[in-house]
Amino acid sequence: MWLKKDLLATALLGTGQQELPPVYKSASESLESAMSQIQEQVADAGKETSLLKAVALLHLFEKSGRKAQVLDEDFPFQKETAQNLPEESDDESVQNQMRQLSHEAKTQLRHLLETNSQLLPEWLSLAHKKGKTIPAELLVSAFELAARNNGIRKAIASCAGERGQWLALLNEDWHFLLIGPRQAEANAEELKKLWDFGSRQERLAALKAAREQEPSLALEMIKSSWKSDPPEERLAYLSILNSALSQADESFLESAGLDDKRKEIRRQSQDLLANIAGSRFCLRNKERLANAVKLKARETNSGFLEKLASFGKKKASKYELEVNLPADCDKQMIRDGFSAKSPDARMGDKAWLLCQILGLCRPSELLAYFQLSEEELLQVFLESEWRNALIAGLEHACLKFEASKQAELILLLYFGLLDFSAEGLHLKAAYELFDCLDKKEQESFLTKYLERNNYLLSKQGQEYVDSRALELLRRMRGDWSKEFSQVVLRAIRTHMVQKNNSIFSDYYLSPLALKMNLEVWAAVEASWKSSAVYDKSLDKMIATLNQRKEIKEALDCQHQ
Amino acid sequence: MLTDDQVLALAPDSSSAKAGQELASPHKWQELGANEKLAWGLCQGSGKNPYQCCVDLGQTAFKCSCPSRKFPCKHSLALLLLLSRQSAALNSKEVPAWASTWMASRKERADKKALKTESEQRSGDETEQLNPGRESSGAADQGKAKKAKTASARREKVEAGLEELELWLKDRIRQGLAGLESSSYQSWENAAARLTDAQAPGLARMLRQCAGIPNTGDGWQERLLSKLGLLQLILEAYKRIETLPEALKADLRQIVGFNLNQEELLQSASPVKDTWQVVAQRVSLEERLKVQRSWLRSASQNKWALILNFAHGMQPLDISLSPGTSLEAELVYYPGTSALRALVKSKSQVTQPLSKFNAFASIEEFLDDYANALALNPFIETYPVLLEGVCCRRGKNNFVIADKNNSYLPLAKSRLSGWQLMAVSAGCQIEFCAEWNGEHLLPLSALVNGKFYRLDQKGEADVA
């Protein structure tokens, strides 16, 4: 061994600086005799050649005489065997056949993993629903993708199967795949242990599991390390606290949350407190609203000239608002998240204050306070001189409390589907309001909009695609109904036929193909194939739909 | 008919495979047709006229009017995928004029080539018949003299190149290898380029491999030195090539980069007929050259065969040997001591899925076989290994393959290959195929409960 080391040392430093080993001595007689021949030729061949020849000889000697090492009890290599893994066994039972993938499904998964395709989540979700698992040969590449892509982890973990879980347990880099199932099965004591000693992800998963099993335990866990944990962690705890929120959490949020140094934490605590009905935070704001805004009967002039002026116009509301705002924000208001200075140049400081007060009131409570219906309240707001601040406040409240009914009303106003005029209003969060609606509400809103607005053509000059409608379609949740998918396809087709030249882009169209109901495929295949208009984006959309159809068919197919 | 996997294996890159799959839908095609010899279709692209695409099914050749430089293009791949998935969609039977013109020109070229080969053979035979036992005369004489002159010129060139390499190696060792990690790749590249100019491409390839070793992590110094030692061994052997036995001489000439005429070899050498198991296939990239190594194992004898295929740039690789299958074939071995590299002379179209390897029962048996092979040919760099009843075990930083006697050999330190083996075997006993470089095993394939898995280097196993 030392000869090898000596030769290597000389080669590293170079024969210009380091002499060759004096004697090529070896434990083997035959090798030593061959080496001595090489050494004898140093003068003729040169030091460098002699060294390389000796290395070659030594290397050949080692390679050809190599013996395998033998495992023994002290040997570090572990024997890890997963016995009777159902998904790879030769079990011919119906259950096992159901679990295994067809050849096509495997080919698809391989391709989706290689390209990290946007269809991978759908494949995994369908496979999970059908009880199929990722085949053994693709587990490593799936886990490696999950390690790089946080968004896909849960879906991959759900299809890993028993073999995948066994494999993930062996490799620390893949332990994230076990987070969730492991914690869900843990008892209170184990959860506390994980909370005290686990990694960041394990702690969060333990907290989530505790919140689901015993909400008070989760609150206790948060309290135990709140002061010592960094702000990013505290923020993550608060988002977990959002589930199973109750009055039991109020005092902690009031004391620790509202007085935290970090603005984001204070903001999150305020949001949580606003969602606890009857909390001191809500009561304080209710009082502010009562002091600031009052409803009173409108004084009407019933003269002939007034009647003539209002002829043909929508009848004004019977009520009007009396607004009486405080001069400035007091300390308690600042603690509750109010700011005195308006962030929007188009809104004054007073209007901003009004907007904030309304924004912290649950829309249903607003209706109860004013004792008006949604439409009546909207009309009163629109007729007020504070209309901008009032509608913006309502918009904030809809977003904060995810009040879909009121959000839809504002959207209808914004998209010109109500009799009221939205002129002069500074609506900013239209798309976010749309996100508040559930899938059915989104479909019904867009069906109304598309049919009223001549499908996807914009009103101005009929030249352009209505980008607002396309943006809403793009933002929609997936898994559309068949009827709605047909409405969208009809809208696209009408546009293409009328203009004979499409200006759709991948940005808008490719998400649509991921959400459409696959039952429309037959119609697409029949009618779009003959379409004379070539559009690259549309073509891609149809290709994606086709791929989805093939994925479904392949996963429906039994293993052969 | 080709399977989906075989078609996708033809793709020059993954983006072509993806695009081909997207196009493999009948509604994208205006006309589709096929018969036993040919498949054709018209595919609407972004241009005014649809692209005319056809595939010769007999020899898997492609023609498409699209401007893509990739070969085969996505249209050709899509056409083959359609044929494999929905052959009923290729319902037109009347071959269009553009497709039949292409087929006719292909046939014409093939006929010309066959005629040329035949006439060359005939002229050789005639000369032999006219002057039995006498030296050939006239044109044949001239041809032979020219051939001999060319061969002699090449020999001189190679010898000069090898002399230069020896000098370069000496300089390298005199200066020392330390610090190579941070030094430029250029001096290696220059030396390799000079070897290519000297018509010793085999050694140029080895030198380029050496250049990459300083960036391969811990222990690179030892790995590099042993490779340089091997180069020196080749140089020493080449100096006395005339004194070596014929078989070793042939090995050495192959290593240096003297190519044999494959047609001549197929004609002259006697074929070995057997049932051959295609136990593994590996594709590596050298510069822009794709090298496909298919390892074949005789089903009944202790015989190996290595079939090499090369494809430059975007050209597709041969897909006629499908790993995980066995087939009746006649192979012709290249001359040499170790009888590894071979050519397929003929093969049956029918293949059977592999369910058992003709493998060694223990690691010790394999190491004996390896030592014998080294004794015959000391220049062997990698050697195939097939083992049965082995299992994959995990250590702190690496994996090993252990046999029933608890003997073990380490796997190459690739981040994922061990995990692939663990995933497919679940730690149970398997039949295993790898390449052995004297120190580590490079996993290539495995049979687990009769199911064949390809193990590649990207972290993915492939089931056949």
Short mmCIF file of all heavy atoms in Angstrom, two decimals, chain A residues 4 11-12 14-16 45 48-49 56 64 69 71 75 77-80 82 110-111 137 140 144 163 170-171 542 546, chain B residues 21 25 170 173-174 176-178 222 229 232 371 394-395 406-408 415 419 423-424 426 453 459-463:
data_model
loop_
_atom_site.label_atom_id
_atom_site.label_comp_id
_atom_site.label_asym_id
_atom_site.label_seq_id
_atom_site.Cartn_x
_atom_site.Cartn_y
_atom_site.Cartn_z
N LYS A 4 2.10 2.42 -3.38
CA LYS A 4 1.09 3.17 -4.12
C LYS A 4 1.06 4.62 -3.64
O LYS A 4 1.01 5.55 -4.43
CB LYS A 4 -0.27 2.51 -3.86
CG LYS A 4 -1.34 2.87 -4.83
CD LYS A 4 -2.49 1.93 -4.56
CE LYS A 4 -3.75 2.41 -5.21
NZ LYS A 4 -4.87 1.55 -4.87
N ALA A 11 3.82 11.57 -8.14
CA ALA A 11 3.06 12.03 -9.31
C ALA A 11 2.40 13.37 -9.03
O ALA A 11 2.30 14.22 -9.91
CB ALA A 11 2.02 11.00 -9.69
N LEU A 12 1.93 13.55 -7.80
CA LEU A 12 1.24 14.81 -7.47
C LEU A 12 2.21 16.00 -7.48
O LEU A 12 1.92 17.06 -8.03
CB LEU A 12 0.56 14.70 -6.11
CG LEU A 12 -0.74 13.90 -6.10
CD1 LEU A 12 -1.27 13.74 -4.68
CD2 LEU A 12 -1.80 14.56 -6.96
N GLY A 14 5.19 15.95 -8.84
CA GLY A 14 5.92 16.00 -10.11
C GLY A 14 7.34 15.49 -9.92
O GLY A 14 7.97 15.75 -8.88
N THR A 15 7.84 14.77 -10.91
CA THR A 15 9.20 14.22 -10.78
C THR A 15 10.25 15.32 -10.84
O THR A 15 11.40 15.12 -10.48
CB THR A 15 9.47 13.19 -11.90
OG1 THR A 15 9.08 13.78 -13.13
CG2 THR A 15 8.71 11.92 -11.69
N GLY A 16 9.84 16.51 -11.26
CA GLY A 16 10.76 17.65 -11.25
C GLY A 16 11.10 18.09 -9.83
O GLY A 16 12.14 18.68 -9.58
N ALA A 45 14.55 4.69 -19.69
CA ALA A 45 13.19 5.15 -20.01
C ALA A 45 12.88 6.53 -19.45
O ALA A 45 12.01 7.23 -19.95
CB ALA A 45 12.18 4.14 -19.48
N GLU A 48 9.74 9.56 -15.40
CA GLU A 48 8.29 9.68 -15.58
C GLU A 48 7.69 8.39 -16.13
O GLU A 48 6.69 7.89 -15.62
CB GLU A 48 7.97 10.84 -16.53
CG GLU A 48 8.37 12.21 -16.03
CD GLU A 48 9.86 12.48 -16.18
OE1 GLU A 48 10.50 11.82 -17.02
OE2 GLU A 48 10.38 13.34 -15.45
N THR A 49 8.34 7.86 -17.17
CA THR A 49 7.84 6.62 -17.78
C THR A 49 7.91 5.49 -16.77
O THR A 49 6.98 4.68 -16.65
CB THR A 49 8.69 6.27 -19.02
OG1 THR A 49 8.72 7.42 -19.85
CG2 THR A 49 8.12 5.10 -19.78
N ALA A 56 0.86 1.40 -13.64
CA ALA A 56 0.04 0.51 -14.46
C ALA A 56 0.13 -0.92 -13.95
O ALA A 56 -0.88 -1.61 -13.81
CB ALA A 56 0.51 0.58 -15.91
N SER A 64 -6.67 -7.48 -10.92
CA SER A 64 -6.84 -8.91 -11.24
C SER A 64 -6.82 -9.77 -9.98
O SER A 64 -7.37 -10.87 -9.99
CB SER A 64 -5.78 -9.36 -12.23
OG SER A 64 -4.51 -9.01 -11.73
N GLN A 69 -14.95 -8.33 -0.48
CA GLN A 69 -14.98 -8.26 0.98
C GLN A 69 -16.19 -9.03 1.47
O GLN A 69 -17.14 -9.28 0.72
CB GLN A 69 -15.07 -6.80 1.41
CG GLN A 69 -13.75 -6.07 1.21
CD GLN A 69 -13.91 -4.58 1.40
OE1 GLN A 69 -14.26 -3.88 0.47
NE2 GLN A 69 -13.65 -4.12 2.60
N LEU A 71 -19.28 -9.48 4.35
CA LEU A 71 -20.08 -8.83 5.39
C LEU A 71 -19.95 -9.63 6.67
O LEU A 71 -19.94 -10.86 6.64
CB LEU A 71 -21.56 -8.82 5.01
CG LEU A 71 -21.97 -8.10 3.73
CD1 LEU A 71 -23.37 -8.50 3.36
CD2 LEU A 71 -21.90 -6.60 3.94
N PHE A 75 -20.29 -5.32 10.43
CA PHE A 75 -20.27 -4.53 9.20
C PHE A 75 -21.39 -3.49 9.17
O PHE A 75 -22.50 -3.76 9.58
CB PHE A 75 -20.41 -5.47 7.99
CG PHE A 75 -20.04 -4.82 6.72
CD1 PHE A 75 -18.70 -4.60 6.43
CD2 PHE A 75 -20.99 -4.33 5.87
CE1 PHE A 75 -18.34 -3.96 5.27
CE2 PHE A 75 -20.65 -3.69 4.72
CZ PHE A 75 -19.31 -3.50 4.42
N PHE A 77 -23.12 -2.13 6.76
CA PHE A 77 -24.21 -2.15 5.75
C PHE A 77 -25.44 -2.84 6.30
O PHE A 77 -25.38 -3.99 6.71
CB PHE A 77 -23.75 -2.81 4.46
CG PHE A 77 -22.73 -2.00 3.75
CD1 PHE A 77 -21.39 -2.33 3.82
CD2 PHE A 77 -23.10 -0.86 3.07
CE1 PHE A 77 -20.45 -1.55 3.19
CE2 PHE A 77 -22.16 -0.08 2.43
CZ PHE A 77 -20.82 -0.42 2.50
N GLN A 78 -26.55 -2.12 6.27
CA GLN A 78 -27.76 -2.65 6.88
C GLN A 78 -28.53 -3.49 5.89
O GLN A 78 -28.55 -3.20 4.71
CB GLN A 78 -28.66 -1.48 7.31
CG GLN A 78 -28.00 -0.56 8.28
CD GLN A 78 -28.67 0.80 8.26
OE1 GLN A 78 -29.83 0.91 7.93
NE2 GLN A 78 -27.92 1.82 8.64
N LYS A 79 -29.17 -4.50 6.44
CA LYS A 79 -30.07 -5.29 5.59
C LYS A 79 -31.47 -4.74 5.83
O LYS A 79 -32.01 -4.85 6.93
CB LYS A 79 -29.98 -6.76 5.94
CG LYS A 79 -30.83 -7.59 4.99
CD LYS A 79 -30.55 -9.05 5.10
CE LYS A 79 -31.33 -9.75 3.99
NZ LYS A 79 -31.11 -11.16 3.98
N GLU A 80 -32.02 -4.12 4.80
CA GLU A 80 -33.35 -3.56 4.95
C GLU A 80 -34.25 -4.18 3.91
O GLU A 80 -34.05 -3.98 2.71
CB GLU A 80 -33.31 -2.05 4.76
CG GLU A 80 -32.59 -1.36 5.87
CD GLU A 80 -31.71 -0.23 5.36
OE1 GLU A 80 -31.19 -0.32 4.24
OE2 GLU A 80 -31.57 0.73 6.09
N ALA A 82 -38.20 -4.86 2.70
CA ALA A 82 -39.63 -4.62 2.88
C ALA A 82 -40.34 -5.86 2.40
O ALA A 82 -40.29 -6.19 1.22
CB ALA A 82 -40.05 -3.42 2.08
N ARG A 110 -44.07 8.56 -16.46
CA ARG A 110 -42.64 8.77 -16.72
C ARG A 110 -42.43 10.09 -17.47
O ARG A 110 -41.60 10.91 -17.12
CB ARG A 110 -42.09 7.60 -17.55
CG ARG A 110 -40.61 7.71 -17.90
CD ARG A 110 -40.22 6.62 -18.86
NE ARG A 110 -40.64 5.31 -18.39
CZ ARG A 110 -40.02 4.62 -17.45
NH1 ARG A 110 -38.95 5.11 -16.91
NH2 ARG A 110 -40.46 3.45 -17.06
N HIS A 111 -43.26 10.28 -18.48
CA HIS A 111 -43.15 11.49 -19.31
C HIS A 111 -43.49 12.74 -18.48
O HIS A 111 -42.79 13.75 -18.55
CB HIS A 111 -44.09 11.34 -20.50
CG HIS A 111 -44.14 12.54 -21.37
ND1 HIS A 111 -43.06 12.95 -22.11
CD2 HIS A 111 -45.12 13.44 -21.62
CE1 HIS A 111 -43.37 14.03 -22.77
NE2 HIS A 111 -44.61 14.35 -22.50
N GLU A 137 -40.32 1.55 -10.15
CA GLU A 137 -39.25 2.06 -11.00
C GLU A 137 -39.28 3.58 -11.13
O GLU A 137 -38.31 4.18 -11.59
CB GLU A 137 -39.26 1.39 -12.38
CG GLU A 137 -40.50 1.66 -13.21
CD GLU A 137 -41.58 0.60 -13.01
OE1 GLU A 137 -41.62 0.00 -11.92
OE2 GLU A 137 -42.38 0.39 -13.94
N VAL A 140 -38.08 6.87 -7.33
CA VAL A 140 -36.93 7.75 -7.07
C VAL A 140 -37.08 9.08 -7.82
O VAL A 140 -36.89 10.14 -7.24
CB VAL A 140 -35.60 7.04 -7.43
CG1 VAL A 140 -34.44 7.99 -7.34
CG2 VAL A 140 -35.38 5.87 -6.49
N GLU A 144 -37.49 12.72 -6.08
CA GLU A 144 -36.53 13.79 -6.38
C GLU A 144 -37.26 15.04 -6.87
O GLU A 144 -36.89 16.16 -6.54
CB GLU A 144 -35.53 13.32 -7.43
CG GLU A 144 -34.45 12.41 -6.87
CD GLU A 144 -33.61 13.10 -5.80
OE1 GLU A 144 -32.88 14.04 -6.12
OE2 GLU A 144 -33.72 12.69 -4.63
N ARG A 163 -44.64 0.79 -0.51
CA ARG A 163 -43.23 0.71 -0.92
C ARG A 163 -42.58 2.09 -0.85
O ARG A 163 -41.46 2.24 -0.37
CB ARG A 163 -43.14 0.16 -2.34
CG ARG A 163 -41.71 0.03 -2.86
CD ARG A 163 -41.68 -0.55 -4.24
NE ARG A 163 -42.10 -1.93 -4.23
CZ ARG A 163 -41.30 -2.98 -4.51
NH1 ARG A 163 -40.05 -2.77 -4.82
NH2 ARG A 163 -41.75 -4.20 -4.48
N LEU A 170 -36.18 5.32 4.65
CA LEU A 170 -34.75 5.00 4.65
C LEU A 170 -33.88 6.21 4.34
O LEU A 170 -32.73 6.26 4.71
CB LEU A 170 -34.44 3.92 3.59
CG LEU A 170 -35.11 2.57 3.72
CD1 LEU A 170 -34.60 1.63 2.65
CD2 LEU A 170 -34.83 1.96 5.08
N ASN A 171 -34.44 7.17 3.61
CA ASN A 171 -33.63 8.30 3.14
C ASN A 171 -34.10 9.60 3.81
O ASN A 171 -35.24 10.03 3.61
CB ASN A 171 -33.77 8.42 1.62
CG ASN A 171 -32.82 9.43 1.02
OD1 ASN A 171 -32.31 10.31 1.74
ND2 ASN A 171 -32.57 9.33 -0.26
N ILE A 542 -56.24 22.20 -27.19
CA ILE A 542 -56.91 20.95 -27.56
C ILE A 542 -56.01 19.76 -27.27
O ILE A 542 -56.45 18.72 -26.79
CB ILE A 542 -57.34 20.99 -29.05
CG1 ILE A 542 -58.38 22.10 -29.24
CG2 ILE A 542 -57.92 19.66 -29.49
CD1 ILE A 542 -58.71 22.41 -30.68
N ASN A 546 -56.75 16.61 -24.89
CA ASN A 546 -56.59 15.24 -25.38
C ASN A 546 -55.70 14.43 -24.44
O ASN A 546 -56.01 13.29 -24.10
CB ASN A 546 -55.98 15.29 -26.79
CG ASN A 546 -55.95 13.92 -27.42
OD1 ASN A 546 -56.80 13.10 -27.14
ND2 ASN A 546 -54.97 13.69 -28.26
N GLN B 21 -45.39 13.51 -28.99
CA GLN B 21 -46.56 12.96 -28.30
C GLN B 21 -47.77 13.89 -28.43
O GLN B 21 -48.90 13.44 -28.57
CB GLN B 21 -46.22 12.75 -26.83
CG GLN B 21 -45.33 11.54 -26.64
CD GLN B 21 -45.23 11.14 -25.20
OE1 GLN B 21 -45.06 11.98 -24.34
NE2 GLN B 21 -45.30 9.87 -24.92
N SER B 25 -52.09 12.80 -32.51
CA SER B 25 -53.55 12.77 -32.38
C SER B 25 -54.11 12.95 -33.80
O SER B 25 -53.71 13.87 -34.51
CB SER B 25 -53.94 13.93 -31.47
OG SER B 25 -55.33 13.99 -31.39
N LYS B 170 5.05 12.58 -20.18
CA LYS B 170 6.26 12.81 -19.37
C LYS B 170 6.24 14.21 -18.78
O LYS B 170 6.51 14.42 -17.59
CB LYS B 170 7.52 12.65 -20.25
CG LYS B 170 7.97 11.23 -20.37
CD LYS B 170 9.29 11.20 -21.12
CE LYS B 170 9.80 9.78 -21.23
NZ LYS B 170 11.04 9.69 -21.95
N ILE B 173 3.78 14.45 -15.91
CA ILE B 173 4.23 13.83 -14.66
C ILE B 173 5.38 14.65 -14.06
O ILE B 173 5.51 14.78 -12.84
CB ILE B 173 4.66 12.36 -14.90
CG1 ILE B 173 3.44 11.54 -15.35
CG2 ILE B 173 5.30 11.73 -13.67
CD1 ILE B 173 2.33 11.41 -14.33
N ARG B 174 6.21 15.22 -14.91
CA ARG B 174 7.33 16.04 -14.39
C ARG B 174 6.78 17.25 -13.65
O ARG B 174 7.25 17.59 -12.58
CB ARG B 174 8.25 16.48 -15.54
CG ARG B 174 9.55 17.08 -15.03
CD ARG B 174 10.52 17.45 -16.16
NE ARG B 174 10.79 16.33 -17.04
CZ ARG B 174 10.44 16.27 -18.33
NH1 ARG B 174 9.81 17.28 -18.90
NH2 ARG B 174 10.73 15.22 -19.06
N GLY B 176 3.79 17.46 -12.32
CA GLY B 176 2.97 17.05 -11.18
C GLY B 176 1.48 17.24 -11.47
O GLY B 176 1.08 18.11 -12.24
N LEU B 177 0.68 16.39 -10.82
CA LEU B 177 -0.76 16.42 -11.09
C LEU B 177 -1.50 17.35 -10.13
O LEU B 177 -2.66 17.70 -10.36
CB LEU B 177 -1.35 15.00 -10.97
CG LEU B 177 -0.72 13.94 -11.88
CD1 LEU B 177 -1.37 12.58 -11.61
CD2 LEU B 177 -0.93 14.30 -13.35
N ALA B 178 -0.87 17.71 -9.01
CA ALA B 178 -1.55 18.58 -8.04
C ALA B 178 -1.91 19.89 -8.73
O ALA B 178 -1.15 20.40 -9.55
CB ALA B 178 -0.63 18.83 -6.85
N GLU B 222 -5.88 9.50 -7.55
CA GLU B 222 -5.55 8.10 -7.77
C GLU B 222 -6.19 7.58 -9.06
O GLU B 222 -5.56 6.84 -9.82
CB GLU B 222 -6.06 7.31 -6.56
CG GLU B 222 -5.28 6.04 -6.35
CD GLU B 222 -5.79 5.28 -5.14
OE1 GLU B 222 -6.06 5.92 -4.11
OE2 GLU B 222 -5.91 4.06 -5.27
N GLY B 229 -1.52 5.63 -16.18
CA GLY B 229 -0.72 4.40 -16.19
C GLY B 229 -1.16 3.49 -17.31
O GLY B 229 -0.34 2.91 -18.04
N GLN B 232 0.10 4.68 -20.56
CA GLN B 232 1.52 4.34 -20.71
C GLN B 232 1.66 2.87 -21.12
O GLN B 232 2.47 2.54 -21.99
CB GLN B 232 2.25 4.62 -19.39
CG GLN B 232 3.74 4.41 -19.45
CD GLN B 232 4.43 5.41 -20.39
OE1 GLN B 232 4.12 6.60 -20.36
NE2 GLN B 232 5.34 4.92 -21.23
N ALA B 371 -10.58 -11.80 -13.68
CA ALA B 371 -9.12 -11.93 -13.64
C ALA B 371 -8.61 -12.64 -14.89
O ALA B 371 -7.58 -12.26 -15.46
CB ALA B 371 -8.70 -12.68 -12.37
N ARG B 394 -27.37 -1.01 2.15
CA ARG B 394 -27.05 0.41 2.29
C ARG B 394 -26.06 0.63 3.45
O ARG B 394 -26.23 0.07 4.53
CB ARG B 394 -28.34 1.16 2.61
CG ARG B 394 -28.23 2.65 2.62
CD ARG B 394 -29.62 3.22 2.70
NE ARG B 394 -30.30 2.81 3.91
CZ ARG B 394 -30.50 3.59 4.96
NH1 ARG B 394 -30.08 4.82 4.95
NH2 ARG B 394 -31.14 3.16 6.03
N GLY B 395 -25.03 1.42 3.18
CA GLY B 395 -24.12 1.81 4.24
C GLY B 395 -24.34 3.26 4.58
O GLY B 395 -25.39 3.83 4.23
N ASN B 406 -22.44 -13.64 1.43
CA ASN B 406 -22.14 -12.38 2.13
C ASN B 406 -20.92 -11.66 1.59
O ASN B 406 -20.36 -10.79 2.26
CB ASN B 406 -21.99 -12.59 3.64
CG ASN B 406 -23.34 -12.71 4.31
OD1 ASN B 406 -24.35 -12.27 3.74
ND2 ASN B 406 -23.37 -13.28 5.48
N SER B 407 -20.45 -12.07 0.40
CA SER B 407 -19.37 -11.30 -0.24
C SER B 407 -20.04 -10.08 -0.88
O SER B 407 -21.20 -10.16 -1.30
CB SER B 407 -18.72 -12.11 -1.34
OG SER B 407 -18.18 -13.27 -0.81
N TYR B 408 -19.30 -9.01 -0.98
CA TYR B 408 -19.94 -7.83 -1.57
C TYR B 408 -18.97 -7.01 -2.42
O TYR B 408 -17.76 -7.06 -2.25
CB TYR B 408 -20.58 -6.95 -0.50
CG TYR B 408 -19.61 -6.20 0.37
CD1 TYR B 408 -19.17 -4.92 0.01
CD2 TYR B 408 -19.11 -6.74 1.55
CE1 TYR B 408 -18.27 -4.22 0.79
CE2 TYR B 408 -18.22 -6.06 2.34
CZ TYR B 408 -17.81 -4.80 1.96
OH TYR B 408 -16.92 -4.10 2.73
N ARG B 415 -25.44 9.40 -6.87
CA ARG B 415 -26.34 9.76 -5.77
C ARG B 415 -27.60 8.88 -5.73
O ARG B 415 -28.14 8.61 -4.68
CB ARG B 415 -26.73 11.23 -5.92
CG ARG B 415 -27.18 11.88 -4.64
CD ARG B 415 -27.27 13.36 -4.82
NE ARG B 415 -28.36 13.74 -5.68
CZ ARG B 415 -29.61 13.86 -5.28
NH1 ARG B 415 -29.92 13.62 -4.03
NH2 ARG B 415 -30.56 14.24 -6.11
N TRP B 419 -30.39 3.97 -4.68
CA TRP B 419 -31.80 4.13 -4.28
C TRP B 419 -32.73 3.52 -5.31
O TRP B 419 -33.78 2.98 -4.96
CB TRP B 419 -32.12 5.62 -4.07
CG TRP B 419 -31.50 6.15 -2.83
CD1 TRP B 419 -30.50 7.06 -2.75
CD2 TRP B 419 -31.82 5.77 -1.48
NE1 TRP B 419 -30.16 7.28 -1.43
CE2 TRP B 419 -30.96 6.49 -0.64
CE3 TRP B 419 -32.71 4.89 -0.92
CZ2 TRP B 419 -30.99 6.38 0.74
CZ3 TRP B 419 -32.75 4.76 0.46
CH2 TRP B 419 -31.90 5.49 1.28
N ALA B 423 -35.42 0.74 -4.51
CA ALA B 423 -36.84 0.93 -4.84
C ALA B 423 -37.40 -0.28 -5.58
O ALA B 423 -38.47 -0.77 -5.26
CB ALA B 423 -37.02 2.20 -5.68
N VAL B 424 -36.66 -0.77 -6.58
CA VAL B 424 -37.22 -1.88 -7.37
C VAL B 424 -37.08 -3.22 -6.67
O VAL B 424 -37.89 -4.11 -6.86
CB VAL B 424 -36.62 -1.95 -8.80
CG1 VAL B 424 -36.92 -0.71 -9.59
CG2 VAL B 424 -35.14 -2.23 -8.77
N ALA B 426 -36.70 -3.63 -3.19
CA ALA B 426 -37.17 -3.58 -1.81
C ALA B 426 -36.23 -4.37 -0.89
O ALA B 426 -36.66 -4.98 0.09
CB ALA B 426 -38.60 -4.10 -1.71
N TYR B 453 -35.98 -4.58 -15.11
CA TYR B 453 -35.89 -3.13 -14.91
C TYR B 453 -34.58 -2.62 -15.51
O TYR B 453 -33.52 -3.19 -15.24
CB TYR B 453 -35.88 -2.77 -13.42
CG TYR B 453 -37.16 -3.05 -12.70
CD1 TYR B 453 -37.37 -4.25 -12.05
CD2 TYR B 453 -38.16 -2.09 -12.64
CE1 TYR B 453 -38.55 -4.51 -11.38
CE2 TYR B 453 -39.35 -2.34 -11.97
CZ TYR B 453 -39.53 -3.54 -11.34
OH TYR B 453 -40.70 -3.79 -10.68
N GLY B 459 -31.47 8.59 -12.18
CA GLY B 459 -32.26 8.43 -10.98
C GLY B 459 -33.59 7.80 -11.31
O GLY B 459 -34.56 7.97 -10.61
N GLU B 460 -33.61 7.08 -12.39
CA GLU B 460 -34.89 6.52 -12.79
C GLU B 460 -34.69 5.10 -13.28
O GLU B 460 -33.75 4.81 -13.98
CB GLU B 460 -35.42 7.37 -13.93
CG GLU B 460 -36.80 7.03 -14.35
CD GLU B 460 -37.16 7.87 -15.53
OE1 GLU B 460 -37.56 9.03 -15.33
OE2 GLU B 460 -37.03 7.36 -16.63
N ALA B 461 -35.55 4.25 -12.87
CA ALA B 461 -35.50 2.89 -13.38
C ALA B 461 -36.59 2.75 -14.42
O ALA B 461 -37.58 3.45 -14.39
CB ALA B 461 -35.71 1.92 -12.25
N ASP B 462 -36.36 1.84 -15.33
CA ASP B 462 -37.31 1.69 -16.42
C ASP B 462 -37.71 0.23 -16.50
O ASP B 462 -36.86 -0.64 -16.50
CB ASP B 462 -36.56 2.11 -17.72
CG ASP B 462 -37.50 2.19 -18.88
OD1 ASP B 462 -38.70 1.99 -18.67
OD2 ASP B 462 -37.02 2.45 -19.99
N VAL B 463 -39.00 -0.02 -16.54
CA VAL B 463 -39.41 -1.41 -16.60
C VAL B 463 -39.73 -1.78 -18.04
O VAL B 463 -40.25 -0.97 -18.78
CB VAL B 463 -40.61 -1.66 -15.68
CG1 VAL B 463 -41.83 -0.96 -16.16
CG2 VAL B 463 -40.88 -3.14 -15.54
#
